[in-house]
Amino acid sequence: MFDFGIKDIVDILFVALILYYIYRLMKESRSLNVFIGIMVFTLTWLFVSRILEMRLLGSIMDKLVSVGVIALIILFQEEIRKFFYNLGAHQRMQTLVKFFKSSEKKNSGVDREAIMPIVLSCMNMGRHKVGALIVIERSQPLNHIVETGDVLDANINQRLIENIFFKNSPLHDGAMVISDMRIRAAGCILPVSHTVDIPKELGLRHRAALGISQESDAIAVVVSEETGRISVAMNGEFSLRLSAEQLESILTHEMHS
């Protein structure tokens, strides 16, 4: 007879939650078939080694499992990194980060004069259907993104933003990164989201905006070149068809938090 208690129930629940979370990550990254294959192999290995106790086949599969763990880490390093990021970005974890940064933010606050040039430039570019992608850094540094573009380190200025995203500008195709209320860089390359349920009318800029919002806590503002509509990607979700007032409200609220 098995001694089945509360610890075993908790153990099963934790394993089920981990498997479900891995399943979601694999589904988002289009690796679901690989996940299913790994699960089938794992169940077969347990059945052969633990239940049937087939020593020869079991030992071969044991060796494959030990080597396979390293191979999986290499193969799914992006998903593993995203798993630990999401774990650290959990709301309760972020509360601790915000606690240590609260005093600094109370002293500095959010300068409305820095937000309004972003809002006004986005509205103006939207009217003229000029595509733009602006990433605003929050608690997590975006140095690895800044390194992919051209460093500017300039004051936030409406005319400068519009000139950078002007269609003939060499930097208009990339993303602009704003950090500490300054334009850090432009022409930056962002990770593209592989989420399958993104609306078809949203283009590569929107996928890049969603990608950086999935990998960090940054705010990504997108101006569509086709429609002129303004969207914001944040925490892996979109807010679409925003007005100037809505964009200003989101930036003011989220950059305060």
Side-chain angles (χ1 to χ4, degrees):
M1 294 293 292
F2 290 103
D3 185 13
F4 196 80
I6 296 177
K7 287 184 179 180
D8 300 297
I9 296 175
V10 174
D11 187 23
I12 293 172
L13 286 175
F14 273 123
V15 171
L17 286 172
I18 291 171
L19 289 177
Y20 173 71
Y21 195 80
I22 294 173
Y23 166 81
R24 285 181 55 190
L25 284 178
M26 293 294 183
K27 187 176 180 180
E28 290 178 1
S29 61
R30 299 180 180 179
S31 303
L32 185 57
N33 289 337
V34 178
F35 173 74
I36 294 173
I38 293 171
M39 292 303 300
V40 170
F41 179 84
T42 302
L43 291 174
T44 304
W45 168 58
L46 292 173
F47 183 75
V48 169
S49 301
R50 301 293 185 268
I51 298 176
L52 298 181
E53 296 183 352
M54 301 173 67
R55 288 180 294 178
L56 180 58
L57 184 57
S59 62
I60 294 174
M61 296 186 77
D62 287 342
K63 297 295 183 183
L64 289 175
V65 168
S66 60
V67 176
V69 170
I70 300 174
L72 287 175
I73 292 174
I74 297 173
L75 185 62
F76 295 109
Q77 55 181 323
E78 188 66 27
E79 284 77 10
I80 293 171
R81 188 174 69 85
K82 185 177 178 181
F83 170 80
F84 284 110
Y85 161 70
N86 289 338
L87 186 65
H90 192 275
Q91 189 64 35
R92 293 182 181 178
M93 296 294 183
Q94 287 300 312
T95 302
L96 296 176
V97 176
K98 292 174 183 177
F99 173 78
F100 289 110
K101 291 192 173 184
S102 60
S103 59
E104 179 183 348
K105 290 197 172 184
K106 285 178 182 177
N107 293 331
S108 61
V110 174
D111 190 355
R112 189 171 183 272
E113 292 182 359
I115 292 176
M116 288 312 298
I118 301 174
V119 175
L120 294 174
S121 61
C122 286
M123 298 307 298
N124 196 35
M125 289 186 291
R127 281 192 294 270
H128 295 88
K129 292 187 178 180
V130 175
L133 176 51
I134 302 172
V135 179
I136 303 171
E137 178 185 289
R138 291 205 282 178
S139 64
Q140 292 183 309
L142 298 176
N143 296 330
H144 63 294
I145 299 297
V146 171
E147 291 172 357
T148 65
D150 293 308
V151 177
L152 300 178
D153 192 25
N155 292 326
I156 299 176
N157 179 280
Q158 179 183 349
R159 183 176 297 178
L160 176 59
I161 294 174
E162 292 180 16
N163 284 338
I164 287 174
F165 289 111
F166 181 67
K167 293 181 180 180
N168 292 332
S169 167
L171 301 176
H172 81 281
D173 276 336
M176 174 186 293
V177 176
I178 293 178
S179 173
D180 296 326
M181 294 305 164
R182 292 183 66 81
I183 300 176
R184 286 273 311 277
C188 299
I189 301 172
L190 302 184
V192 178
S193 173
H194 297 290
T195 303
V196 296
D197 56 353
I198 297 178
K200 292 182 179 179
E201 64 269 17
L202 302 183
L204 186 59
R205 278 193 180 92
H206 290 81
R207 284 194 170 273
L210 189 63
I212 192 63
S213 75
Q214 290 173 335
E215 294 195 3
S216 71
D217 64 348
I219 305 169
V221 183
V222 187
V223 181
S224 172
E225 190 171 353
E226 288 75 23
T227 64
R229 291 171 178 164
I230 298 172
S231 307
V232 167
M234 188 170 52
N235 300 323
E237 295 181 355
F238 272 122
S239 296
L240 302 172
R241 300 178 180 87
L242 298 177
S243 65
E245 292 77 14
Q246 290 172 323
L247 178 60
E248 180 186 356
S249 176
I250 290 174
L251 294 182
T252 302
H253 178 267
E254 295 301 331
M255 291 169 71
H256 264 298
S257 62

